[in-house]
């Protein structure tokens, strides 16, 4: 899509001079999508390290069999908190940061539709994490991030604090998602029809729908936990006619769409990176949109594949097995589209492209292990083993997190006005990709051999793979310090970036200068 | 930011979002401490609640001033409409969680408990039930419940009256809307006052019903799965009626001050949509909780 520059941004930006306001006003009372986006991204990066250090504790303990460093209860606190921090603190806010920065730039809007609500989403999230992390002082939740009853009915103050923290994260996500939807639907520049929206915008539009549909259900689930714990209700207590399995159903009705909430924006990001570095337009844009919508629709009818071993009727097992396998079709459409985009492209492999290509490969591995888990009789064997741990780290780390890293390298020049250090970026990529696989590939074998997850000790025959996994994890953790260095070095200086940054990239964001001025598209561009 | 006249209004930096986050945090932290009997939990919760109310007052006051000041063009208006629509959708999904719990318990969990003879061989299931270890259900609106027994609220006493009250209020709020569109402020305020009164009457009878349940029927929040689903569904609904009535009351005050024009009155419509939503949830409650 080309912009008509006579109506575009360039002619209008110099009329009024409004740069960023003073420090406190700018960062604490912001109504600017770029500043709020920066806050989200920095928060996400910080949480990546908080959650990552918890993973280091887990991997240190699992370096050898027997109990070494921590007691089992603390180990359980670490697995629980690691998941909560990574999911709600690192991955989701990371994507919201990208959305804040990029959506208005991509659709040619002056800002998000509701700027104050946008800032509230961030600060409510921030305070939710103050609450969640302070449970470490009073006895953190240790029953797994899934908070299954009846374990979560026991335990003390920490669980109630976690429940309220989840409520606050829900408020934050719902308000943020509403903001995204309204921005996508109401703030597009004239001429940008829905089927001309960039893929990242499409994926976020659909993600927002999922968020608004399922975050309230999670709020309902934890509210029932709260009343079961404190006010004598019997939702999850069979003695009163309730059922702990019911918690799992309600939780996973949220939980499965949640995994697409964490991966669809990643699909969006790499749908921008791959065409740029293959120097070809995205193959099959329409099918990409419909595949995304298809995945979102199916995500509502597959939840019980997380509960095959809980004792469901056979008809339920079969339904959820087949519906889960169906998801492979729209996902496969996407994978083929990315591959077809690269096919006979004049490809170069700058850091963002390295990340994007590795996401396609590694996410596919995670997708295929997911297909294995979808098979009911196989799942009876794999359930709650390290095979599951390996599976969701392939989709969540090498899918979501590595897509975000690729996206960060891709748009950092636009954000900061400087090129990042390409050589270090490539080093960071290779360290990340190699250590990631060293960490998680052996966990497939551990799981298939029957090593259970969330247990601090293991049988001695699992030792070697666990040592590989731990060494990989330490390497993976340390490598991310390099990422922080590259990002902050890029903020402070570096080669001046051009407006286009890359070679003929597609999209409105490349029509504004680098760094993007504090206010952009105050007069909407025209899309022809 | 000084947006050019006629363009999309972008607010200046505002303290309210930060105040909102800190107040909500204070409130829920206080409640978490309070229900665990820790220190000054109750006090902290009340401080948080006061801060939340202060924040709502201040933030909405700012928005109303902007609106009355003519800052919002038709695009902003459309953003607000979409926002309210999606917000109501999120509320619907919140109620879905509790309706889902009701359907699951009633149609799956309880029958399975009855079939599974291992733990409670003599449990006969059925609905309403307080579970195998809970009180026995002896009928609707019975007044001589003994120990270990509970009665339920019959659908055709207070609940049908409340249904009529809420349905009527949905009509009166629509009549108020018509009056607004015809610029008839007297009728507008009158119909709104009637709507709020109907909402208040609904809440009065709802409280009456709860008192009856607790003091005469032995039906409490702790009465097994029936008590849990009954009170959580009707309780959250009642909370929404209360909030909706307060919103409508404030809208009525704003109508009296002439805040709305015949063709431009988003806040009124948002309140009306919310009220219709509350009404629809009640119809679901009346059918699935009281009648069936
Ligand atoms: Cu799933």
């Amino acid at each position: 899509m080309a912009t008509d520059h006579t109506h575009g941004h360039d002619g209008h930006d110099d009329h009024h001079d409004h740069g960023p306001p003073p420090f406190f006003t700018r960062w604490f009372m912001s109504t600017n999508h770029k500043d709020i986006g920066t806050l989200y991204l920095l928060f996400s990066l910080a949480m990546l390290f908080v959650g990552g250090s918890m993973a280091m504790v887990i991997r240190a303990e699992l370096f050898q069999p027997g109990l070494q460093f921590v007691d089992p209860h603390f180990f359980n606190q670490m697995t629980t908190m690691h998941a909560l921090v990574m999911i709600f603190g690192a991955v989701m806010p990371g994507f919201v940061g990208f959305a804040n920065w990029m959506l208005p730039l991509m659709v040619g809007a002056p800002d998000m539709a509701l700027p104050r609500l946008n800032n509230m989403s961030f600060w409510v999230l921030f305070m939710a994490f103050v609450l969640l992390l302070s449970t470490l002082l009073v006895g953190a939740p240790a029953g797994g991030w899934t908070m299954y009853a009846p374990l979560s009915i026991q335990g003390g103050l920490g669980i109630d604090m976690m429940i309220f923290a989840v409520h606050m994260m829900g408020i934050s996500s719902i308000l943020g998602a509403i903001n995204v939807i309204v921005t996508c639907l109401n703030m597009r520049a004239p001429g940008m029809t829905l089927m001309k929206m960039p893929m990242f915008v499409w994926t976020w539009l659909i993600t927002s729908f999922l968020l608004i549909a399922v975050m309230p259900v999670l709020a309902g689930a934890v509210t029932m936990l709260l009343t079961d714990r404190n006010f004598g209700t019997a939702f999850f207590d069979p003695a009163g006619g309730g059922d702990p399995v019911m918690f799992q159903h309600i939780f996973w009705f949220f939980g499965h769409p949640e995994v697409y909430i964490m991966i669809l924006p990643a699909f969006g990001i790499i749908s921008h990176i791959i065409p740029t570095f293959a120097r070809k337009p995205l193959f099959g844009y329409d099918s990409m949109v419909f595949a995304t919508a298809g995945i979102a629709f199916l995500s509502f009818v597959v939840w019980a594949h997380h509960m095959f071993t809980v004792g469901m009727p056979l008809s339920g097992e079969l339904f959820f097995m087949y519906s889960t396998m169906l998801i492979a079709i729209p996902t496969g459409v996407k994978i083929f589209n990315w591959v077809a985009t690269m096919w006979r492209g004049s490809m170069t492999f700058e850091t963002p492209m390295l990340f994007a290509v590795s996401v396609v490969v590694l996410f596919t591995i995670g997708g295929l292990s997911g297909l294995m888990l979808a098979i009911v009789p196989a799942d009876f064997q794999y359930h709650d083993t390290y095979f599951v741990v390996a599976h969701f780290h392939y989709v969540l780390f090498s899918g979501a997190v590595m897509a975000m890293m690729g996206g960060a390298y891709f748009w950092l020049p636009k954000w900061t006005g400087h090129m990042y250090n390409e050589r270090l970026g490539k080093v960071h990529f290779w360290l990340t990709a190699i250590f990631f696989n060293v960490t998680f590939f052996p966990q497939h074998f551990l799981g298939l051999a029957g090593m259970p997850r969330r247990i601090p000790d293991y049988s001695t025959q699992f030792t070697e793979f666990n040592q590989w996994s731990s060494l990989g994890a330490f390497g993976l953790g340390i490598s991310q310090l390099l990422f922080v260095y590259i990002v902050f070095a890029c903020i402070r200086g570096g080669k001046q970036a051009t407006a286009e940054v890359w070679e003929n990239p597609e999209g409105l964001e490349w029509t504004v200068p680098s760094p993007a001025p504090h206010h952009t598209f105050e007069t909407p561009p025209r899309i022809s | 930011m000084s947006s050019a006249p006629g363009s999309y209004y972008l607010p200046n930096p505002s303290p309210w979002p930060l105040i909102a986050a800190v107040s909500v945090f204070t409130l829920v932290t206080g409640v978490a401490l309070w229900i665990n009997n820790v220190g000054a939990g109750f006090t902290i919760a009340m401080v948080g609640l006061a801060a939340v109310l202060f924040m709502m007052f201040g933030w909405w006051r700012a928005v109303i001033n902007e609106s009355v000041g003519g800052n919002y063009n038709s695009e902003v208006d459309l953003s607000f409409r979409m926002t309210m629509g999606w917000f109501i959708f999120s509320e619907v999904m919140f109620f879905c969680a509790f309706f889902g719990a009701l359907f699951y318990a009633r149609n799956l969990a309880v029958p399975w408990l009855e079939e599974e003879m291992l733990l409670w061989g003599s449990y006969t299931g059925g609905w309403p039930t307080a579970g195998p270890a809970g009180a026995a259900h002896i009928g609707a609106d019975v007044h001589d419940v003994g120990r270990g027994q509970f009665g339920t609220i019959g659908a055709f006493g207070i609940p049908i009256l409340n249904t009529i009250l809420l349905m009527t209020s949905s009509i009166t709020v629509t009549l108020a809307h018509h009056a607004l569109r015809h610029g008839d402020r007297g009728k507008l305020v009158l119909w709104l006052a009637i709507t709020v009164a109907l909402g208040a009457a609904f809440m009065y009878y709802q409280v009456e019903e709860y008192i009856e349940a607790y003091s005469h029927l032995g039906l409490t929040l702790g009465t097994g799965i029936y008590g849990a689903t009954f009170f959580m569904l009707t309780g959250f609904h009642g909370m929404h009626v209360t909030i909706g009535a307060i919103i409508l009351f404030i809208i009525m005050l704003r109508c009296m001050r002439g805040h709305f024009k015949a063709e431009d009155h988003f806040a009124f419509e948002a309140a009306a949509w919310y009220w219709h939503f509350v009404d629809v949830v009640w119809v679901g409650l009346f059918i699935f909780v009281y009648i069936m």
Side-chain angles (χ1 to χ4, degrees), chain B residues 180-256:
Chain B
L180 174 54
R181 281 205 299 221
H182 291 108
D184 187 342
R185 197 186 291 175
K187 267 193 187 156
L188 162 64
V189 173
L190 178 69
W191 284 123
L192 269 182
I194 293 174
T195 310
V196 174
L198 287 167
F202 173 92
M203 280 316 294
Y204 171 81
Y205 285 115
Q206 190 70 29
V207 170
E208 193 79 334
E209 183 181 297
Y210 279 13
I211 293 173
E212 165 82 1
Y214 264 80
S215 54
H216 297 300
L217 297 173
L219 174 61
T220 69
L221 196 56
T223 310
I225 189 66
Y226 184 84
T229 50
F230 176 82
F231 281 105
M232 293 295 274
L233 275 164
T234 55
F236 272 117
H237 176 263
M239 195 178 100
H240 282 76
V241 172
T242 310
I243 293 170
I246 293 172
I247 294 173
L248 281 173
F249 182 72
I250 292 167
I251 292 291
M252 188 182 82
L253 296 181
R254 293 188 60 195
C255 287
M256 289 158 82

Side-chain angles (χ1 to χ4, degrees), chain A residues 97-424:
Chain A
F98 278 95
N100 260 303
W101 251 102
M102 301 318 297
L103 292 194
L105 287 179
M106 285 177 166
V107 302
D111 207 297
M112 297 293 278
L114 308 148
R116 280 175 293 212
L117 218 51
N118 196 11
N119 197 31
M120 178 169 156
S121 301
F122 175 75
W123 286 108
V124 168
L125 175 78
F126 183 90
M127 295 313 292
F129 271 84
V130 172
L131 186 56
L132 181 69
L133 292 176
S134 53
T135 61
L136 287 165
L137 307 173
V138 300
W145 81 279
T146 50
M147 306 176 273
Y148 279 4
L151 202 51
S152 55
I153 304 294
Q154 303 149 23
L157 174 62
I159 309 270
D160 291 318
M161 287 164 71
M162 171 188 69
I163 288 171
F164 284 120
V166 169
H167 275 131
M168 290 177 71
M169 293 166 200
I171 294 172
S172 163
S173 291
I174 292 166
L175 296 181
I178 292 177
N179 217 339
V180 167
I181 288 202
V182 177
T183 304
C184 294
L185 295 184
N186 194 34
M187 304 288 282
R188 299 194 310 280
M192 182 176 283
T193 56
L194 279 177
M195 291 310 279
K196 277 185 188 169
M197 277 198 318
M199 265 322 286
F200 182 64
V201 182
W202 256 116
T203 53
W204 243 113
L205 176 63
I206 291 168
T207 299
S208 306
F209 172 75
L210 293 179
L211 276 167
I212 301 175
V214 302
M215 290 309 286
V217 176
L218 175 66
V222 296
T223 304
M224 291 179 220
L225 275 187
L226 186 76
T227 57
D228 266 21
R229 287 172 49 76
N230 298 291
F231 306 111
T233 57
F235 285 108
F236 310 126
D237 179 7
D243 188 348
V245 174
M246 183 165 85
F247 178 84
Q248 301 187 19
H249 280 291
I250 303 173
F251 179 87
W252 286 112
F253 182 83
F254 145 81
H256 191 82
E258 168 70 12
V259 307
Y260 293 117
I261 287 163
M262 292 191 283
I263 201 63
L264 291 183
F267 291 170
I269 289 174
I270 64 171
S271 299
H272 284 250
I273 296 176
I274 290 177
T276 303
F277 296 97
R279 290 162 182 80
K280 277 175 63 190
L282 182 67
F283 183 89
Y285 169 89
D286 291 15
S287 64
M288 221 54 155
V289 170
F290 291 119
T292 311
I295 291 173
F297 169 75
L298 286 173
S299 75
F300 287 104
V301 291
V302 299
W303 75 87
H305 61 214
H306 297 265
M307 318 162 42
F308 282 148
T309 59
V310 87
M312 267 188 296
L314 182 63
S315 54
E317 312 251 70
L318 291 175
F319 172 81
F320 288 108
M321 171 165 85
Y322 292 128
S323 61
T324 302
M325 290 176 159
L326 265 184
I327 293 186
I329 296 169
T331 314
V333 167
K334 285 178 159 291
I335 305 278
F336 281 117
N337 280 343
W338 291 319
V339 174
T341 306
M342 289 187 267
W343 181 254
R344 295 194 168 169
S346 30
M347 295 213 282
T348 51
F349 294 92
E350 284 85 347
T351 313
M353 185 61 163
L354 290 173
F355 273 98
V357 173
S358 79
V359 167
V360 175
V361 175
L362 297 175
F363 176 82
T364 304
I365 295 177
L368 292 174
S369 59
L371 264 181
M372 291 169 73
L373 287 163
I375 302 166
V376 172
D379 184 71
F380 273 54
Q381 169 72 13
Y382 307 152
H383 185 86
D384 251 344
T385 67
Y386 262 85
F387 190 79
V388 178
V389 177
H391 157 69
F392 65 70
H393 282 94
Y394 267 82
V395 291
L396 279 180
F397 190 90
S398 63
V401 176
M402 284 177 72
M404 276 198 274
M405 287 172 174
Y409 285 112
F410 189 52
W411 284 306
L412 257 178
K414 179 57 64 188
W415 298 338
T416 64
H418 308 123
M419 298 305 288
Y420 60 88
N421 184 326
E422 184 64 51
R423 205 165 52 88
L424 283 184

Side-chain angles (χ1 to χ4, degrees), chain A residues 25 29 31 113-116 120 123-124 127 157 160 181-182 186-187 213 216 227 230 232-233 235 238-241 246 249 519, chain B residues 1 8 11-14 17 21 32 35-36 59 66 75 78-79 83 86 90 93-94 104 113 130-133 222 224-225 232:
Chain A
T25 311
M29 313 203 313
T31 47
L114 308 148
R116 280 175 293 212
M120 178 169 156
W123 286 108
V124 168
M127 295 313 292
L157 174 62
D160 291 318
I181 288 202
V182 177
N186 194 34
M187 304 288 282
T227 57
N230 298 291
T233 57
F235 285 108
M246 183 165 85
H249 280 291
H519 295 291
Chain B
M1 178 206 311
Y8 196 92
N12 282 317
S14 161
I35 58 184
N36 284 279
W59 192 337
E66 288 165 12
E75 273 177 83
L78 186 56
S79 284
T83 302
W86 287 105
S90 80
M93 292 310 294
F94 181 75
Y104 184 91
L113 267 175
I225 189 66
M232 293 295 274

Side-chain angles (χ1 to χ4, degrees), chain A residues 186, chain B residues 6-8 71-81 264:
Chain A
N186 194 34
Chain B
S7 67
Y8 196 92
N71 287 307
Y72 298 157
N73 65 7
S74 59
E75 273 177 83
V76 177
D77 190 68
L78 186 56
S79 284
F80 285 168
R81 279 163 197 281
D264 179 19

